[in-house]
Amino acid sequence: MLCRGFQSRICAQQPWSRPCAIVARTRWSPQSGVPSRSFRWNAFQRQRQETEKAQARVPDDAPVKVEVTEVSRPESAEKPQPASRNANAAPNADIQSEKSISNKEQRKVDLAIMREMVRYLWPKGDLGTKFRVSSALGLLVAAKVLNVNVPFYFKNIVDSMNIDFMSVGGTAWTVAGSMLIAYGVTRIGAAVFTELRNAVFASVAQKAIRNVARNVFAHLLRLDLNFHLSRQTGGLTRALDRGTKGISFLLTSMLFHIFPTILEISLVCGILTYNYGASFAAITAGTMVAYSAFTITTTSWRTKFRRQANAADNQGATVAVDTLINYEAVKYFNNEKYEVDRYDKALKQYEDASIKVTTSLALLNSGQNIIFSGALAAMMYMAANGVATGTLTVGDLVMVNQLVFQLSVPLNFLGSVYRELRQSLLDMETLFNLQKVNVTVKEVANPRPLALTKGGEIRFENVQFGYNTNRPILKNLSMTIPAGKKVAIVGPSGCGKSTILRLLFRSYDVQGGKIFIDGQDIKEVSLDSLRQSIGVVPQDTPLFNATIEHNIRYGRIDASPEDVRKAAQRAQIHDHISRLPEGYDTKVGERGLMISGGEKQRLAVSRLLLKDPPLLFFDEATSALDTYTEQTVMQNINSILKEKKRTSLFVAHRLRTIFDSDIIFVLRDGVVAEQGTHPELLELKGLYAELWSAQEVTLGQDPELERNLDEERRS
Ligand SMILES: Nc1ncnc2c1ncn2[C@@H]1O[C@H](COP(=O)(O)OP(=O)(O)OP(=O)(O)O)[C@@H](O)[C@H]1O
């Protein structure tokens, strides 16, 4: 009669067995015949991001879904986990605090996080949330009280049925009807209150998640470029994802698991002591202590197997994604077997670790069963003894059994709740640490907005800068870019051309010297006004996985569709977009993978033209375009610059795109080595003249290009 079914279903998934569609394109640099720098960089970024994404897909040995119908025996089951919470044990090494901390310090950190969470449970001035939390607690206590009443009705039913129906007469209804109704109503009440409690509390947890996630995301966007370049994007999103899920878990487990389990154990011990004496309660309390200690110790021990499995899983995913992204490279070098072996090595490690996870789970379950069943048997013996000596009824025996049995439900999940709680605290620590990262590019107190009083003259005064202290990139660089002029910066690869643009945009701050715009130190003006005044077409076009229209409009969110089309026309991409089946609604794919490099660059130019800022920076903005398109785009840009008298700064390797600049700065070894107009620099017969003649040789082999250049020179 007491036997009920407890079922658990475990869904294991090999995460990297999912189909993976990867599109790889190679663009070749016309000059060198090797993939262009921007392509290589893009490919590297793509590969890195794909790898990180795959790393986020980590399996969990815990069951994805555990269905509890009714309880028959204290069988250990891993806690039901939110389906998406599958990467819980993967190391957050990229964001977590680098130094390992002692247990004592860790406890302090954990307590601080819990205190922080209490603020979300009981927020100052938020009566609605307080009301919900109080109601949820009320429902919880009511459900638990009803729950411990069920065995009482059960006992009374058993005792009242213990008569000779033949001689006394009557039916089950006349003898125990009211008890049966009370039994049913109490059980239903306990279940309904529990569900109501979940429903009432849902918005508290979700509100907390939203607040924390929004604050962290806003902080991430405020952080410096350097932070983002040195961190793995996948790691950041993983931290955000796990941290916010950790909040939900911590809040619910604090309120609905730990507290109610303690409440229920206390109630049961109290009832047992009151009804049957302290010996029953002592066994129950002792069992709970032994059970909890065994579960926590064993769970801590077996966590390392889960970590190993996750690490092997990460490794497998990394190898698989890396190999598939570099499919062409694998084929070119016939390395299929090598890659399969690498993949299989990770699979083998995963297999070994997973076996340990399963066997250690069996040990945990067995130990829990032995402790629980041993105690239950002892109590049954004591109760049976009571029945034999006439101090207890059969109903008492049943009640003792059921009271203790009911405790097995929360205890079943103790192991996984403990493990998850630890992981949630770790994830949340990572999340809160992110919020503590400082912004290094800061504004002065009460900054003035940038005022372009002279039309946008840019002056570098003895600027020193290096990404690493031991490798200076710019060494006392001084130069003046006159307002309203087209200026170019050229020089060997890696000499710091793009760095100059990053310093102007204040993605980094100079380490020595100053940069002025119209006489104002850029450190003294507000970041918002500075960045508002500058438009950049970067080397690697950042595109969103959205429509072409959205990507162009990103330059000015409130632009009309006509403005978007006008900008596209000027960037020589409108006709092409119009010919696409979905026109401006065409999706460009992740990071613009579904369109060509030249199309991406023209979208970036359109976006900049739509923003129409007073200062324009082009960092190899047309390097992926064919000669004809490049000439046309440049002509359009030049006419806009002249017409609107914009200050513009071009970084270019293809000198024919900048030879008509008002000033050309030639950078070498962190300083300006030469400067002047194209003819002046040719006269100098220095580095620029060398570069030009090297490129002219190439140009000489291209009659069409020559024709275009001649035309442009004439115009
Ligand atoms: N975030 C960074 N951290 C460390 N070093 C960097 C970083 N960004 C660039 N560098 C290094 O600084 C140097 C200058 O980089 P920059 O991008 O300014 O060169 P560039 O002249 O624009 O090169 P290219 O013509 O190839 O685009 C390079 O050696 C580059 O490797």
Side-chain angles (χ1 to χ4, degrees), residues 481-499:
I481 296 162
K485 300 289 181 202
K486 177 177 174 180
V487 172
I489 300 180
V490 299
S493 188
C495 68
K497 302 180 294 291
S498 306
T499 304

Side-chain angles (χ1 to χ4, degrees), residues 37 229 467 471 473 493-499 508 539 653:
R37 177 176 179 263
L229 290 182
Y467 295 96
R471 192 186 160 216
I473 304 289
S493 188
C495 68
K497 302 180 294 291
S498 306
T499 304
Y508 295 87
Q539 228 170 55
H653 280 296

Side-chain angles (χ1 to χ4, degrees), residues 79 81 85 88 106 110 113-114 117 242-243 245-259 296 299 303 306-307 413-429:
K79 182 200 117 289
Q81 305 208 352
R85 192 184 163 70
N88 60 353
Q106 185 62 54
D110 292 351
I113 292 174
M114 287 195 190
M117 281 301 97
R242 287 189 199 159
K245 287 197 177 99
I247 293 170
S248 169
F249 186 80
L250 189 72
L251 288 180
T252 32
S253 67
M254 256 165 50
L255 211 60
F256 299 151
H257 205 95
I258 299 166
F259 168 64
I296 290 172
T299 305
T303 300
R306 290 170 53 79
R307 288 228 166 91
F413 299 124
L414 189 70
S416 36
V417 166
Y418 171 73
R419 193 192 61 231
E420 280 299 303
L421 201 64
R422 283 245 40 81
Q423 188 61 45
S424 297
L425 285 167
L426 208 67
D427 291 343
M428 286 167 66
E429 188 187 334

Side-chain angles (χ1 to χ4, degrees), residues 548-574 577 584 602-603 605-612 640 644:
I548 288 178
E549 172 116 18
H550 173 85
N551 273 295
I552 299 179
R553 176 161 297 128
Y554 207 75
R556 181 156 48 90
I557 304 282
D558 58 359
S560 68
E562 291 71 43
D563 289 343
V564 169
R565 277 147 192 78
K566 237 182 254 167
Q569 268 161 1
R570 285 174 164 172
Q572 293 297 306
I573 184 91
H574 172 76
I577 299 171
Y584 279 81
R602 278 177 289 168
L603 287 191
V605 172
S606 319
R607 188 191 268 183
L608 178 77
L609 298 180
L610 195 62
K611 180 177 175 181
D612 193 20
I640 294 168
K644 300 198 170 184

Side-chain angles (χ1 to χ4, degrees), residues 226-443:
N226 202 29
F227 171 87
H228 286 280
L229 290 182
S230 59
R231 301 289 165 159
Q232 295 187 330
T233 317
L236 286 180
T237 53
R238 231 157 59 219
L240 197 63
D241 186 41
R242 287 189 199 159
T244 47
K245 287 197 177 99
I247 293 170
S248 169
F249 186 80
L250 189 72
L251 288 180
T252 32
S253 67
M254 256 165 50
L255 211 60
F256 299 151
H257 205 95
I258 299 166
F259 168 64
T261 306
I262 295 170
L263 176 73
E264 193 166 354
I265 291 174
S266 313
L267 282 174
V268 169
C269 287
I271 292 167
L272 289 174
T273 311
Y274 184 76
N275 287 314
Y276 309 113
S279 53
F280 280 90
I283 292 183
T284 309
T287 307
M288 297 307 137
V289 172
Y291 189 98
S292 307
F294 172 75
T295 304
I296 290 172
T297 320
T298 315
T299 305
S300 303
W301 164 71
R302 63 186 289 272
T303 300
K304 66 172 177 283
F305 303 133
R306 290 170 53 79
R307 288 228 166 91
Q308 283 165 8
N310 279 319
D313 172 50
N314 276 351
Q315 182 60 22
T318 307
V319 172
V321 173
D322 211 12
T323 309
L324 291 174
I325 286 177
N326 293 306
Y327 171 83
E328 280 178 291
V330 178
K331 285 282 162 195
Y332 289 147
F333 297 99
N334 289 39
N335 276 341
E336 291 90 339
K337 186 175 173 328
Y338 169 75
E339 294 299 344
V340 170
D341 287 348
R342 267 198 332 142
Y343 183 52
D344 189 50
K345 196 172 153 204
L347 288 179
K348 175 81 179 85
Q349 282 167 357
Y350 182 78
E351 180 187 317
D352 293 345
S354 294
I355 292 170
K356 284 186 200 155
V357 167
T358 312
T359 44
S360 63
L361 178 64
L363 180 81
L364 176 68
N365 284 344
S366 311
Q368 287 177 329
N369 260 311
I370 291 168
I371 294 171
F372 199 91
S373 302
L376 192 65
M379 285 207 276
M380 292 294 285
Y381 172 75
M382 285 160 62
N385 240 351
V387 175
T389 56
T391 50
L392 298 180
T393 63
V394 176
D396 287 320
L397 187 136
V398 170
M399 184 172 129
V400 168
N401 183 294
Q402 204 185 0
L403 269 177
V404 180
F405 241 71
Q406 282 186 177
L407 290 181
S408 66
V409 182
L411 285 179
N412 266 336
F413 299 124
L414 189 70
S416 36
V417 166
Y418 171 73
R419 193 192 61 231
E420 280 299 303
L421 201 64
R422 283 245 40 81
Q423 188 61 45
S424 297
L425 285 167
L426 208 67
D427 291 343
M428 286 167 66
E429 188 187 334
T430 310
L431 190 73
F432 288 134
N433 279 348
L434 269 181
Q435 275 186 298
K436 288 185 205 150
V437 178
N438 285 327
V439 183
T440 49
V441 176
K442 287 192 185 124
E443 286 184 330

Side-chain angles (χ1 to χ4, degrees), residues 498-550:
S498 306
T499 304
I500 287 178
L501 301 187
R502 285 185 209 126
L503 292 177
L504 268 168
F505 201 71
R506 279 198 78 195
S507 294
Y508 295 87
D509 270 338
V510 294
Q511 287 146 4
K514 284 185 175 163
I515 302 174
F516 298 94
I517 296 180
D518 282 353
Q520 300 147 81
D521 186 343
I522 59 169
K523 277 191 180 173
E524 304 291 327
V525 299
S526 73
L527 275 174
D528 216 35
S529 66
L530 174 75
R531 292 175 182 167
Q532 200 68 44
S533 311
I534 296 174
V536 185
V537 181
Q539 228 170 55
D540 306 306
T541 312
L543 290 184
F544 293 93
N545 187 5
T547 60
I548 288 178
E549 172 116 18
H550 173 85

